[in-house]
Amino acid sequence: CIREGGLPLSDVYSHVQAMSTCHLSAIAARLGRKIKWDPKAEKIVGDDQAAAFFARERRKGFEIDFKI
C-alpha cells in the first residue's frame, strides 16, 4: 500500500466507524435509551447528555488541532 499509494485491507476509516459504533452502543447502554447519530456530521443529535459522553474536553496542553 505504501509503495502503490492505495488503502490497506484494514484501513483506518473502517476502524473509526467500528469504534464509533462501539462507543455509541456503550453510551446508549449506560443511559438506558436509544440515541440518534448523524453520520455525516459525526455527532449525537437531540440529546445533550448523550453527546457529552461522546467526547470530553481535553486537558490544557493536550489539545489536538484538527485543522489541516
Side-chain angles (χ1 to χ4, degrees):
C1 293
I2 294 171
R3 191 175 326 163
E4 298 165 3
L7 290 174
L9 182 61
S10 181
D11 65 287
V12 67
Y13 304 109
S14 63
H15 286 276
V16 168
Q17 289 177 337
M19 291 309 300
S20 290
T21 302
C22 293
H23 291 307
L24 292 167
S25 298
I27 292 168
R30 182 177 286 185
L31 294 175
R33 62 179 181 257
K34 292 181 180 182
I35 56 176
K36 290 187 178 182
W37 174 248
D38 179 352
K40 291 190 187 243
E42 294 187 352
K43 291 184 177 183
I44 295 172
V45 293
D47 190 335
D48 292 337
Q49 184 183 20
F53 280 101
F54 197 72
R56 62 180 177 198
E57 188 175 329
R58 306 270 191 235
R59 289 187 299 169
K60 187 159 181 72
F62 292 90
E63 300 89 355
I64 299 173
D65 185 13
F66 289 106
K67 297 176 187 169
I68 296 176

